[in-house]
Amino acid sequence: FTSNKTDYEYSSRDITLTANATNGYGGYQYQFTRVYNGASKIVQQFSTNNTHSFMTGLPGTYIYYVDIKDSSNAVLRLSYTMTVVSNGTFDGGIDVSSYQGTIDWNKVKQSGVSFTMLRALSGKMNAITVDSSFNANIAGATKNGISVGVYRYGYAMTVAEAQKEAIATVNAIKNSGYSITYPVAYDVEDSATQGTLSKNQLTDIIKAYRGVIENNGYKFMIYSSKSWFDSKIDMKEFAGEDLWVASWFSDGTPYHDHGYTGPGNVTIWQYSSTGRVPGISGNVDMNVGYAKY
């Protein structure tokens, strides 16, 4: 069980772990698990893929386990320990919308931002439209080598409305003329609408949105606050999904832990809403990325 880098690395370094097995019955499958601050997360379910790639994030000691299963269902567990130290930067991510106005994406890139999540749509259910800055933002980010994902702030109160939101999201991406590599996130946090639904109702709505997104070939993820993940969504139904969790601290820095330990895989952590980035006027949401897409 080896790494392409050393076991002592700075933040914002690309890492690939590789597991190899011999002397078993063949048909090997590999499952990777990360342990950080006592919290264990399966970051890759059993599959024939014997590698796991990610970008180092917050400082600390990480233990990665690989469970290797052969065709007889015998399982061997190996471990790899990595210490991450801060170099003052993290895998820089931002999320933006028309609220940020005109963005100088070249300056954003030069500041160290490596990915962005763009709001694709604005408006409630009776007035869905493409975010007025979306086409300029996806063009600017892509042309400057910044990886792109998108999100929809959800208002759907029924399965049919969730499908309508998802179709509009897909159309916005396709009509932009650009492709994305990061996921399509469903932003579930509106207390006046989806916050009034039962856990089962909201879970069904998220599933409906996911279905349309995945049927169109995009990677799906859920955005919400830690408290919503903990209490308002049946996360057992999304144990295999990537999550984008919002958990802010008063100092506005990522030198903390997001704190979510439930089902699902946190691959993006939004740690501040008051960040400042060259090329953007005013505040911007700041994110740490734990995975490469």
Side-chain angles (χ1 to χ4, degrees):
F1 189 25
T2 60
S3 171
N4 67 326
K5 297 289 181 67
T6 69
D7 57 6
Y8 193 81
E9 287 290 335
Y10 284 122
S11 302
S12 302
R13 296 293 188 265
D14 290 307
I15 307 293
T16 298
L17 302 179
T18 303
N20 288 295
T22 59
N23 300 325
Y25 284 93
Y28 299 113
Q29 294 194 46
Y30 306 83
Q31 177 174 275
F32 293 85
T33 302
R34 181 189 71 228
V35 178
Y36 174 67
N37 277 358
S40 178
K41 283 283 189 181
I42 295 174
V43 292
Q44 181 175 302
Q45 300 280 352
F46 275 112
S47 74
T48 56
N49 181 17
N50 71 328
T51 64
H52 172 60
S53 297
F54 61 96
M55 179 171 279
T56 54
L58 301 177
T61 299
Y62 296 77
I63 302 174
Y64 286 87
Y65 294 99
V66 61
D67 293 305
I68 308 173
K69 180 169 63 176
D70 70 7
S71 58
S72 73
N73 287 325
V75 177
L76 171 69
R77 168 165 280 201
L78 304 173
S79 67
Y80 179 83
T81 300
M82 168 177 286
T83 299
V84 177
V85 293
S86 175
N87 58 354
T89 63
F90 296 90
D91 182 24
I94 58 174
D95 55 277
V96 300
S97 69
S98 58
Y99 290 115
Q100 275 69 46
T102 301
I103 296 174
D104 186 332
W105 285 101
N106 180 258
K107 289 183 178 179
V108 171
K109 174 65 174 179
Q110 295 306 311
S111 76
V113 168
S114 63
F115 72 92
T116 183
M117 300 295 288
L118 307 178
R119 187 174 76 165
L121 306 174
S122 62
K124 297 185 178 181
M125 292 309 307
N126 61 349
I128 296 176
T129 187
V130 176
D131 180 284
S132 60
S133 296
F134 176 67
N135 288 312
N137 283 339
I138 195 171
T142 302
K143 290 175 181 177
N144 283 280
I146 297 173
S147 300
V148 174
V150 307
Y151 70 92
R152 161 63 176 173
Y153 185 103
Y155 293 104
M157 298 291 282
T158 66
V159 164
E161 287 184 342
Q163 292 169 333
K164 178 181 177 181
E165 287 184 314
I167 291 168
T169 305
V170 168
N171 288 339
I173 299 168
K174 291 181 176 179
N175 292 337
S176 75
Y178 291 90
S179 59
I180 64 173
T181 58
Y182 270 62
V184 175
Y186 195 38
D187 182 340
V188 181
E189 61 175 304
D190 193 71
S191 59
T193 56
Q194 295 182 338
T196 68
L197 298 172
S198 71
K199 183 180 287 190
N200 286 341
Q201 287 173 320
L202 184 53
T203 299
D204 286 344
I205 282 170
I206 296 170
K207 287 181 177 179
Y209 188 94
R210 177 184 65 184
V212 173
I213 297 304
E214 291 182 341
N215 286 342
N216 281 274
Y218 297 104
K219 172 67 177 175
F220 170 77
M221 78 184 325
I222 309 170
Y223 168 97
S224 198
S225 65
K226 176 184 178 298
S227 63
W228 276 52
F229 282 131
D230 285 337
S231 63
K232 297 191 72 66
I233 306 168
D234 184 359
M235 290 305 299
K236 295 190 300 296
E237 295 294 319
F238 303 107
E241 300 298 344
D242 288 354
L243 309 181
W244 177 13
V245 62
S247 183
W248 304 341
F249 293 85
S250 58
D251 64 4
T253 76
Y255 295 97
H256 304 274
D257 185 88
H258 54 72
Y260 178 71
T261 59
N265 301 309
V266 176
T267 57
I268 304 177
W269 169 31
Q270 186 188 81
Y271 65 86
S272 174
S273 63
T274 57
R276 292 298 181 112
V277 172
I280 299 176
S281 299
N283 292 338
V284 63
D285 294 338
M286 304 295 292
N287 299 271
V288 168
Y290 299 107
K292 298 291 285 184
Y293 292 97

